[in-house]
Amino acid sequence: MIGYQISYNDLAALVAQKSPNWINRATQRTTNFRQQRRYAERSPMWSEIKTVYIRLQGGKCAYCERQLEGEVYGKSEYDIEHFRPKGNVKGWSLSSVLSQQGITPTPVPNGTGGYYLLPYHLFNYAVACKPCNSVLKETYFPIAGTYDLSGHDPVALLQAEQPYLIYPIGDFDKAPEALIRFEGISPCPVVSEGHDHDRALVTIELFKLDDVIGRKNLFLERVRIMIALFPQLEILADGATGDARNSAMRVIDLYTSCQSPHTNCARSFVSLYNQNPSQARQLWEAALTVSDSTS
Ligand SMILES: [Zn+2]
């Protein structure tokens, strides 16, 4: 995961550019939900602004950073993911590994529905791939604080609810890269304890970002990135100049761009190389072995 920094006003401007009256219609629908105290409507309209989020996120899933097809032919590959579920919140069962870490999600209130004031909040959307959104996240929303399903402001809710999942868009939640980094092809927490540590573990577990079997293509894509990056980092370290240096820099810039797939993995690998090139070499050799075994 990486973050996509944007202010609410800038995001709203992009939405208005895409669909000039969308925000007014969304406000009206939210007023209706407020009166009914629940989410209920016949024809949702968030797909109208899906391309705003596809462009913002570089055509990548918000959680696993896989790159999907472009917006012309690929829109159906993306789900608009409601970060806080709109109609229902399911209780999430911790794995035994996370239980042993002392993580204790707040029990979900029984029979109280979902976040009925947030189905049309711009800071409650992201685009995600179908495995991440439909198969894995479903309507889970584990938190450490107190559920407030009638909340209308994601910024205020962040403080009160202390969600375990990380919201990657905007300017108010922590940057995902401040919480999750990669050791080679495997994601892990940046910090060693506390809520930020637990958020990283829950996010990795819920989206199966470290499931080498269930999400093997994620791992293979990360492997290929490391294989491509290491020789370029070596070229720079050897003191290359001129065209050779420029060419290596271009490749590294390409792979570490926020518009490329698995940016967090690529940036973590570059950072490791700069701190400990021999360990980076070991991981690169391991990546080559993985690649050879699957080809
Ligand atoms: Zn995904």
Side-chain angles (χ1 to χ4, degrees), residues 61-66 128-133 207 209 215 218:
C61 170
Y63 298 113
C64 72
E65 279 207 84
R66 284 192 306 129
C129 71
K130 293 189 183 302
C132 282
N133 182 54
F207 292 106
L209 300 178
R215 305 211 68 178
L218 271 188

Side-chain angles (χ1 to χ4, degrees), residues 282-293:
Q282 286 174 11
L283 290 170
W284 172 66
E285 288 170 350
L288 284 171
T289 303
V290 171
S291 179
D292 288 346
S293 70

Side-chain angles (χ1 to χ4, degrees), residues 184-185 221-231 265 269 280 283-284 287:
I185 54 178
E221 288 177 11
R222 294 173 192 155
V223 158
R224 290 174 191 135
I225 286 167
M226 286 172 55
I227 289 172
L229 275 174
F230 185 80
C265 175
F269 188 65
L283 290 170
W284 172 66

Side-chain angles (χ1 to χ4, degrees), residues 2-290:
I2 61 166
Y4 304 92
Q5 281 269 323
I6 188 167
S7 70
Y8 183 88
N9 287 342
D10 286 348
L11 184 55
L14 293 176
V15 167
Q17 211 171 29
K18 173 68 184 166
S19 181
N21 65 353
W22 190 91
I23 288 180
N24 285 342
R25 288 185 285 136
T27 302
Q28 182 57 55
R29 291 192 182 208
T30 302
T31 300
N32 295 342
F33 305 150
R34 188 186 297 276
Q35 288 166 354
Q36 299 174 54
R37 294 190 65 79
R38 68 189 180 100
Y39 168 68
E41 65 179 338
R42 287 211 177 99
S43 54
M45 59 177 208
W46 45 74
S47 292
E48 293 178 27
I49 59 167
K50 189 191 268 188
T51 53
V52 170
Y53 291 84
I54 293 174
R55 290 174 197 169
L56 180 64
Q57 294 173 213
K60 297 193 290 185
C61 170
Y63 298 113
C64 72
E65 279 207 84
R66 284 192 306 129
Q67 199 145 39
L68 307 179
E69 187 50 271
E71 63 186 74
V72 176
Y73 298 114
K75 267 170 76 175
S76 63
E77 280 200 287
Y78 302 83
D79 282 345
I80 281 265
E81 126 82 345
H82 285 78
F83 184 63
R84 284 180 170 80
K86 56 194 177 299
N88 181 44
V89 182
K90 279 202 321 191
W92 187 60
S93 300
L94 279 180
S95 67
S96 58
V97 174
L98 291 198
S99 294
Q100 287 163 12
Q101 295 273 340
I103 296 174
T104 52
T106 304
V108 174
N110 283 332
T112 45
Y115 293 85
Y116 61 89
L117 296 180
L118 297 180
Y120 286 103
H121 199 296
L122 298 182
F123 274 162
N124 197 39
Y125 293 146
V127 285
C129 71
K130 293 189 183 302
C132 282
N133 182 54
S134 303
V135 179
L136 295 168
K137 183 161 182 288
E138 300 185 53
T139 58
Y140 296 122
F141 193 69
I143 66 171
T146 305
Y147 279 105
D148 179 7
L149 300 176
S150 61
H152 68 279
D153 176 10
V155 179
L157 282 170
L158 177 67
Q159 300 303 319
E161 294 193 319
Q162 298 180 56
Y164 282 115
L165 301 182
I166 308 160
Y167 185 64
I169 292 173
D171 53 6
F172 60 100
D173 202 347
K174 295 212 169 159
E177 285 171 286
L179 304 186
I180 297 175
R181 66 183 178 86
F182 280 78
E183 285 183 3
I185 54 178
S186 298
C188 57
V190 170
V191 296
S192 59
E193 59 185 5
H195 185 56
D196 287 349
H197 168 262
D198 296 347
R199 293 186 83 187
L201 286 183
V202 170
T203 300
I204 292 166
E205 170 71 16
L206 196 144
F207 292 106
K208 304 295 181 194
L209 300 178
D210 61 349
D211 183 342
V212 71
I213 296 171
R215 305 211 68 178
K216 67 177 183 181
N217 286 344
L218 271 188
F219 280 82
L220 288 175
E221 288 177 11
R222 294 173 192 155
V223 158
R224 290 174 191 135
I225 286 167
M226 286 172 55
I227 289 172
L229 275 174
F230 185 80
Q232 309 306 322
L233 293 163
E234 289 276 273
I235 288 169
L236 293 189
D238 287 345
T241 58
D243 288 347
R245 177 181 170 78
N246 290 339
S247 174
M249 291 283 286
R250 282 178 65 183
V251 174
I252 294 166
D253 288 347
L254 173 67
Y255 277 95
T256 55
S257 157
C258 61
Q259 302 286 308
S260 292
H262 311 296
T263 311
N264 191 336
C265 175
R267 288 176 178 171
S268 294
F269 188 65
V270 172
S271 176
L272 172 68
Y273 183 91
N274 290 331
Q275 292 165 25
N276 190 339
S278 63
Q279 193 183 355
R281 174 178 285 278
Q282 286 174 11
L283 290 170
W284 172 66
E285 288 170 350
L288 284 171
T289 303
V290 171

